[in-house]
Amino acid sequence: MSRVLAVATALPGPPRDQDAITQVVAPLVAGDDARTAGLLRRVHRSSGVRTRHLALDPGEYAGIRDFGHANDLYLAVGTDLAERAVHEALSGAGVHPADVDLVLFTSVTGIGAPSVDATLVGRLGMRDDVKRLPSFGLGCAGGAAGLARVHDYLVGHPDGTALLVCLELCSLTLQHSDRDPAALVANGLFGDGAAAAVVVGPAHPAAAAARGPRIEDTRSRLVPGTSGELGWRIGASGFRIVLSAEVPDVVRAEVATDVKRLLAGQGLEPRDVTRWVVHAGGPRILDAVEEALDLPADALDASRESLAAVGNLSSASVLDVLGRTLRTDPPPGSPGVLLAFGPGVGVETVLLRWSPTEG
């Protein structure tokens, strides 16, 4: 099985207090509409977020002119941020950039051709024959799906080294004067950041002694009839959030089936899992997971801590939660479950085995 050597998160600028962000966002979204401004403030206060990191200084968001301007900022700021995350992850893994065989890059808050990963190859000194797989559209599920697809590659390349890079600058998707309730929720929930993970195959020299978790199995599923519940509407002004109030109910109804099927393949049940690595989708999403799986009250502490400190980092969120989880020293040899939800509605689950283990 493949092995995670290191995980790193990079965040732009200093942490910004949620109330301070609200003061900046409210006039851009609500204008002189006191009712909308009041609703926005209430939604932000109930988001579970204390602080977030922003790609720009707060005062600069009023000057974003259009989709092209926002996307130029995404490429400029985001590439630097992704480089920081990758550099830290490679350093933590003790892996030279030239040893990377595959780069999987996922993002849903900006676009580029060549994509950000292509720029990183030259900046970091990776080989010019490194395989690349840029992905757009997985949304918040991108970190979990990325780990799963990297694992799939390493099954066929057991001595290989893969790099997963997640980049999301959610604040640059802010739509001025968008008073849709879903937009008000998103404006208070999502943060900016990048995350990277270095993963090696089972025959790699570093695999046996690695302290990171082993990836044992994965599962992907699209929930039928939910394609309109979560995603983007993309138009001249950029990305407009699609976020149905029913998404937590979808999670509550579906997640137990997916997790139990993943675990059953290894003869396990939810009660055997010692750590739950759930993307910080918001308080209602985390509550739905906790209720559906009948988890202990502290089972999602790492996810709630991530949400409070940095907001929902979309695809990068689950890697940030994984990094926090690893600092809690999970019981060696015990199973963990990593999961995230994205447009589709897609459910991505990954079965981990906490290290160190024998063999």
Side-chain angles (χ1 to χ4, degrees):
M1 297 294 110
S2 60
R3 180 82 75 170
V4 178
L5 296 188
V7 178
T9 301
L11 302 165
R16 309 279 184 178
D17 182 78
Q18 177 78 325
D19 289 339
I21 294 175
T22 303
Q23 294 304 314
V24 172
V25 171
L28 298 180
V29 173
D32 296 328
D33 185 341
R35 181 178 177 276
T36 299
L39 176 59
L40 182 142
R41 291 187 178 93
R42 290 194 297 275
V43 168
H44 283 206
R45 285 196 295 269
S46 64
S47 65
V49 179
R50 291 195 309 269
T51 57
R52 286 182 282 165
H53 293 251
L54 301 179
L56 307 178
D57 288 335
E60 295 182 64
Y61 287 90
I64 296 179
R65 299 184 300 275
D66 52 34
F67 182 25
H69 185 195
N71 199 68
D72 287 345
L73 290 167
Y74 164 86
L75 291 172
V77 177
T79 304
D80 289 345
L81 193 65
E83 182 180 4
R84 280 176 47 202
V86 170
H87 178 76
E88 184 175 340
L90 290 173
S91 296
V95 171
H96 192 277
D99 293 330
V100 174
D101 302 302
L102 170 74
V103 181
L104 193 158
F105 172 74
T106 186
S107 181
V108 76
T109 51
I111 55 175
S115 49
V116 169
D117 52 290
T119 304
L120 293 178
V121 169
R123 282 198 187 187
L124 291 162
M126 297 184 207
R127 302 192 313 270
D128 59 9
D129 66 345
V130 65
K131 297 178 176 67
R132 296 185 300 109
L133 184 60
S135 167
F136 179 91
L138 290 167
C140 294
L147 276 181
R149 301 294 78 79
V150 160
H151 171 71
D152 291 344
Y153 170 83
L154 292 169
V155 168
H157 301 80
D159 60 350
T161 301
L163 174 66
L164 170 64
V165 187
C166 304
L167 169 65
E168 305 293 2
L169 300 185
C170 304
S171 70
L172 294 178
T173 69
L174 174 69
Q175 297 289 313
H176 295 193
S177 302
D178 187 351
R179 301 174 186 181
D180 185 86
L184 302 186
V185 171
N187 291 338
L189 182 62
F190 289 93
D192 295 345
V198 181
V199 189
V200 296
H204 191 282
R211 296 187 59 81
R214 192 168 65 203
I215 299 174
E216 298 208 325
D217 201 0
T218 71
R219 177 176 170 81
S220 303
R221 186 165 73 100
L222 288 170
V223 179
T226 63
S227 61
E229 304 292 329
L230 179 62
W232 292 125
R233 293 193 306 273
I234 303 176
S237 62
F239 300 108
R240 289 184 178 270
I241 191 74
V242 176
L243 181 60
S244 167
E246 307 304 316
V247 172
D249 293 332
V250 173
V251 170
R252 187 176 288 104
E254 301 292 339
V255 68
T257 297
D258 289 287
V259 169
K260 289 177 180 178
R261 287 178 178 171
L262 176 77
L263 293 171
Q266 302 289 328
L268 299 169
E269 298 180 7
R271 66 170 179 265
D272 299 316
V273 176
T274 61
R275 294 290 189 277
W276 295 88
V277 183
V278 182
H279 105 267
R284 294 183 64 206
I285 294 294
L286 296 177
D287 288 347
V289 172
E290 189 175 286
E291 293 166 15
L293 293 167
D294 193 24
L295 300 180
D298 62 350
L300 302 184
D301 279 358
S303 298
R304 297 187 193 279
E305 290 168 5
S306 177
L307 179 65
V310 299
N312 180 353
L313 299 179
S314 190
S315 69
S317 174
V318 77
L319 292 187
D320 184 70
V321 177
L322 177 58
R324 293 171 188 269
T325 301
L326 292 174
R327 293 195 288 272
T328 70
D329 294 325
S334 65
V337 169
L338 181 147
L339 65 107
F341 314 95
V345 168
V347 184
E348 296 286 342
T349 50
V350 179
L351 179 61
L352 304 173
R353 183 73 64 172
W354 303 115
S355 300
T357 59
E358 295 181 2

